[in-house]
Amino acid sequence: MEASISAKKDLVIEARNLTKVYTMGDVEVHALRGLSLQIERGEIMSIMGPSGSGKSTLMNTLGCLDRPTSGEYYLDGESVAEMNDDQLADVRNRKVGFIFQTFNLLKRASALANVELPLRYANRNEDRTQIARQALESVGLGERLHHKPNELSGGQQQRVAIARALVNNPAFIMADEPTGNLDSKSGDEIMKMLLALNKERGVTVIIVTHDPEIAKRTERVVTIRDGQVADK
Amino acid sequence: MNYLNSFVVALESLAANKLRSALTVLGIVIGVAAVIAMLAVGRGAQSTITGTIEGIGTNLLFVISGGNSDVTNPKPLTLADSQALRDSFAAPSVIGVAPMMQGSATVTAQGESTSTMLEAVTPDYGWVRNLELTEGEFISEAHILARSAVVVLGPDVAEELFGRTDGVVGETVRIEGQPFRVIGLLVSRGGSGFTNEDNRVIVPLTTAQARLLRRSTPNRVDMIIVQAASSEAVPQASEEIAAILRARHRTGIGADDFTVLNQQDFLDTAAAVTGVLTIFLGGVAAISLLVGGIGIMNIMLVSVIERTREIGLRKALGARKRDIMIQFLAESSMLSLLGGVLGIILGWLISAAVGAVAAASNADITPVIGVDSVLLATLFSMAVGLFFGLYPANRAASLEPVEALRYE
Ligand SMILES: Nc1ncnc2c1ncn2[C@@H]1O[C@H](COP(=O)(O)OP(=O)(O)OP(=O)(O)O)[C@@H](O)[C@H]1O
Ligand SMILES: [Mg+2]
């Protein structure tokens, strides 16, 4: 029955029985304990849960930054578990758009250069500057192309990060506490922008948050507890 | 990511840390400059030395006292030995024999005083060494027989004592306090490398033996210069000289108490000395390059640690291991290449300065910077950068993206 459902749906993410065990000396930490999750294309959803429940671990696994200890993971239909480091790097480059709590922009590079970065690693022969400029214009920063991160407000920096996440047309955007370092007004702007991207351009968005107000604004909320999806 | 991009990225990050980059580069600059300058000066010195030796003449042999092994009771060379070498039957390849003694002396005249090289010779010395006079005459057989108090002056000595280099014949000078009549003045040869042939006085051998250069054995000479019939006849002449002296000194086989040297021997000795010198200088230069390389490695390791988050971010955005590797290798090799180029310029400046100082002090060493030493320095510094960049770059490339992103 399960298989027939997934055949019909257009799944961006299909994770089955993911486990992640961190070994620190003699101590084993089970960050994920048989977690399964499906995310459809065009969804906007949030992941909530208490601190230490495994949200970041899940994000890192779904974002192909890290491999699960066991379990299956299909991203856009491709099985990630068997991939080598270079293949994972390519998947991150083409399929995943990361947005971090601390923005993670290159300090010494302009907004434009920051947005160009994924294009550089994509090795495509296109007009990178043009594409990066369009991405920045789409997040309302057409006037700030040559500003360095320290010449931009927090909200603006996060918008540069959104442009960077969008620039390679990824399968989904993964935002770990995107508003955590922002005041409520700029946090609201960022949320509006993510919602608009989802509604207008059909981008799949996954948001990790502690804030129930943020979670309420997304279509679907998944709660993680002790490395598993909590029953409602 | 292509290579051009990597180099642009590397340049940007070096430019962002200008002072640090400059200090790091300094090690390589000094190393390369040392290589360039040492090779250049070494080569200049070598060509000056060989030039001086080649100026001696290809058909001369020098006989000196003392053998290679520790011979018991070596007999000194004497005037009688030199007379024996004139035997055209025993030594048909020999056409000139010039025994001589050497020392230094203080020469005074008209209240002026100068210290100079003293050569005590026979008439043959003049043509064996191609001496030319601007005025007067050279020492004659009559002077030798009479032990005359006569002297031929070098132009520098005349200049020192009389303030002129003409019309000094007939003047009287005092050598070690004893009066000598000036009979001739040498043509100036200019300073040649390490000895100044213009600063000397030449007196009859017998006069010197009696009055100036007393030796323990009477009639002893310091050296016998022998001219062979031609440069091809030099080995033959060498054999003949050895045979005569062995007979006279009654030495056994392989126990010669004299040594016969020719131009080639001097060239070989000089080549051996400069060879050792070059290896030594090269070693010093290599060590400084090594130190420079370790400096690069050190700063690259610091840079990797500082940029851990950046590396994590780049990996999250799709950088492969190779991309990160190239980025850091580009940085380290660019640092060292920059150091190499600056080092070549500095090395060139140093050699030019050494050349200028040498010229000012009359020792004409002209430092020569060869294309090969420039190439060597460039390649070597690149290699140093790559080699010492490899470990830090690999460390950066092997960082786990999650760990790197979490790094504070
Ligand atoms: N690199 C690691 N080594 C060892 N244990 C780890 C590592 N990363 C996470 N953990 C552990 O795994 C568990 C889940 O951590 P995770 O960071 O996924 O939690 P989280 O839900 O993101 O928490 P928070 O809301 O505080 O960010 C925690 O117990 C944590 O201590
Ligand atoms: Mg977390």
Side-chain angles (χ1 to χ4, degrees):
Chain A
M1 201 183 92
E2 173 100 2
S4 65
I5 294 170
S6 62
K8 272 181 219 158
K9 290 179 184 168
D10 183 7
L11 291 181
V12 174
I13 284 169
E14 179 171 20
R16 287 195 210 132
N17 265 323
L18 292 184
T19 68
K20 180 73 187 180
V21 183
Y22 294 109
T23 316
M24 302 171 74
D26 301 339
V27 189
E28 284 191 346
V29 180
H30 294 259
L32 298 178
R33 308 164 185 258
L35 183 147
S36 299
L37 183 67
Q38 294 185 340
I39 300 173
E40 277 180 67
R41 195 176 307 283
E43 254 192 290
I44 182 159
M45 61 154 336
S46 41
I47 296 177
M48 295 196 69
S51 187
S53 56
K55 301 184 297 297
S56 294
T57 306
L58 178 62
M59 293 296 267
N60 291 336
T61 310
L62 297 184
C64 298
L65 285 169
D66 209 355
R67 290 194 186 82
T69 307
S70 72
E72 292 171 66
Y73 173 32
Y74 297 91
L75 197 171
D76 239 2
E78 282 181 89
S79 174
V80 171
E82 289 103 60
M83 289 186 179
N84 65 27
D85 284 353
D86 282 353
Q87 288 169 319
L88 283 181
D90 287 349
V91 169
R92 290 194 294 268
N93 183 250
R94 287 181 291 111
K95 308 253 169 162
V96 190
F98 288 98
I99 297 171
F100 303 93
Q101 178 172 356
T102 52
F103 322 136
N104 265 339
L105 300 176
L106 293 184
K107 282 197 289 290
R108 294 189 287 263
S110 66
L112 203 58
N114 266 293
V115 176
E116 270 185 44
L117 207 51
L119 294 169
R120 283 195 184 186
Y121 291 118
N123 252 337
R124 274 186 269 140
N125 280 330
E126 60 223 328
D127 187 351
R128 289 196 297 265
T129 315
Q130 185 58 27
I131 298 174
R133 178 183 295 129
Q134 279 169 6
L136 278 167
E137 278 163 2
S138 75
V139 297
L141 287 176
E143 310 284 294
R144 300 278 192 283
L145 299 179
H146 301 290
H147 287 231
K148 301 264 168 71
N150 61 3
E151 297 157 356
L152 296 169
S153 73
Q156 286 170 332
Q157 290 186 53
Q158 197 60 304
R159 280 195 269 160
V160 173
I162 293 175
R164 182 179 66 189
L166 283 173
V167 78
N168 259 346
N169 287 319
F172 61 92
I173 281 184
M174 173 151 277
D176 196 348
E177 308 260 9
T179 60
N181 275 23
L182 298 175
D183 60 67
S184 55
K185 186 169 158 288
S186 2
D188 184 54
E189 273 175 30
I190 293 299
M191 268 315 287
K192 277 196 183 121
M193 188 161 281
L194 290 174
L195 289 164
L197 278 173
N198 173 255
K199 187 161 269 159
E200 287 155 25
R201 293 172 55 177
V203 182
T204 312
V205 181
I206 308 167
I207 300 167
V208 171
T209 182
H210 277 117
D211 184 349
E213 294 301 314
I214 300 263
K216 247 186 249 165
R217 296 165 76 171
T218 62
E219 294 165 359
R220 176 180 164 207
V221 179
V222 171
T223 306
I224 310 279
R225 203 162 277 133
D226 286 336
Q228 283 175 315
V229 176
D231 297 325
K232 299 211 174 85
Chain B
M1 190 138 119
N2 62 38
Y3 290 95
L4 184 70
N5 260 328
S6 316
F7 275 91
V8 172
V9 170
L11 256 187
E12 281 166 4
S13 106
L14 293 182
N17 259 319
K18 287 192 192 65
L19 181 62
R20 184 200 280 185
S21 303
L23 289 176
T24 310
V25 152
L26 205 57
I28 297 291
V29 172
I30 291 169
V32 169
V35 173
I36 294 280
M38 283 174 177
L39 285 180
V41 173
R43 257 179 222 186
Q46 194 166 9
S47 73
T48 304
I49 292 169
T50 41
T52 307
I53 294 171
E54 277 162 5
I56 293 170
T58 50
N59 53 355
L60 291 190
L61 296 113
F62 298 80
V63 187
I64 55 171
S65 180
N68 322 349
S69 49
D70 20 15
V71 186
T72 48
N73 281 331
K75 293 197 179 71
L77 293 170
T78 61
L79 259 181
D81 285 332
S82 87
Q83 287 303 330
L85 297 182
R86 284 180 200 279
D87 185 334
S88 55
F89 289 104
S93 308
V94 171
I95 60 168
V97 178
M100 70 173 298
M101 294 168 80
Q102 272 175 317
S104 59
T106 307
V107 186
T108 54
Q110 301 178 344
E112 298 292 332
S113 166
T114 180
S115 136
T116 170
M117 214 160 68
L118 174 74
E119 293 178 349
V121 306
T122 59
D124 275 358
Y125 187 76
W127 66 268
V128 164
R129 297 305 309 271
N130 294 321
L131 297 182
E132 286 171 82
L133 303 175
T134 50
E135 59 182 35
E137 50 165 7
F138 197 66
I139 290 154
S140 69
E141 210 53 58
H143 294 136
I144 296 288
L145 288 173
R147 295 182 181 172
S148 314
V150 292
V151 63
V152 175
L153 297 184
D156 282 5
V157 180
E159 182 67 43
E160 279 288 325
L161 298 178
F162 301 107
R164 61 178 197 270
T165 51
D166 57 340
V168 296
V169 168
E171 298 276 359
T172 300
V173 299
R174 284 177 181 272
I175 303 176
E176 301 296 331
Q178 305 173 44
F180 279 74
R181 184 167 52 86
V182 177
I183 56 165
L185 184 62
L186 291 170
V187 165
S188 173
R189 291 190 169 186
S192 76
F194 303 100
T195 56
N196 182 359
E197 299 213 303
D198 289 350
N199 185 25
R200 58 174 163 176
V201 295
I202 305 178
V203 298
L205 182 63
T206 47
T207 317
Q209 281 177 328
R211 302 214 234 152
L212 295 171
L213 302 165
R214 287 176 213 278
R215 302 285 195 251
S216 47
T217 319
N219 276 334
R220 182 189 164 142
V221 297
D222 295 340
M223 175 161 71
I224 303 169
I225 302 173
V226 177
Q227 179 156 11
S230 65
S231 45
E232 289 76 38
V234 164
Q236 180 61 34
S238 187
E239 290 297 318
E240 294 165 5
I241 293 165
I244 293 170
L245 291 181
R246 270 180 209 130
R248 288 181 55 82
H249 289 194
R250 298 203 172 85
T251 58
I253 306 283
D256 290 351
D257 57 1
F258 58 90
T259 307
V260 184
L261 299 166
N262 59 35
Q263 189 196 39
Q264 195 53 47
D265 295 325
F266 289 122
L267 285 177
D268 290 348
T269 310
V273 170
T274 48
V276 168
L277 207 67
T278 305
I279 291 171
F280 173 72
L281 294 181
V284 171
I287 288 172
S288 57
L289 264 181
L290 189 76
V291 172
I294 292 170
I296 287 192
M297 178 140 130
N298 183 29
I299 224 67
M300 291 306 294
L301 281 174
V302 171
S303 165
V304 168
I305 290 168
E306 272 183 0
R307 285 149 69 189
T308 302
R309 268 181 85 93
E310 176 193 324
I311 295 162
L313 172 73
R314 286 177 184 273
K315 288 198 154 191
L317 297 182
R320 292 174 167 205
K321 205 173 153 136
R322 220 190 86 211
D323 294 320
I324 303 292
M325 190 92 188
I326 290 172
Q327 181 190 336
F328 280 88
L329 278 185
E331 256 177 60
S332 63
S333 52
M334 217 131 69
L335 272 177
S336 61
L337 190 63
L338 186 69
V341 172
L342 293 178
I344 288 168
I345 295 170
L346 183 64
W348 179 77
L349 288 176
I350 292 174
S351 348
V354 169
V357 169
S361 56
N362 254 334
D364 63 337
I365 299 174
T366 316
V368 196
I369 296 182
V371 180
D372 52 346
S373 55
V374 169
L375 271 179
L376 184 83
T378 313
L379 287 179
F380 207 72
S381 61
M382 266 292 265
V384 162
L386 280 177
F387 180 76
F388 287 101
L390 216 51
Y391 175 66
N394 189 49
R395 221 159 124 159
S398 308
L399 286 173
E400 287 297 330
V402 183
E403 304 292 326
L405 272 172
R406 219 205 316 262
Y407 185 84
E408 293 302 324

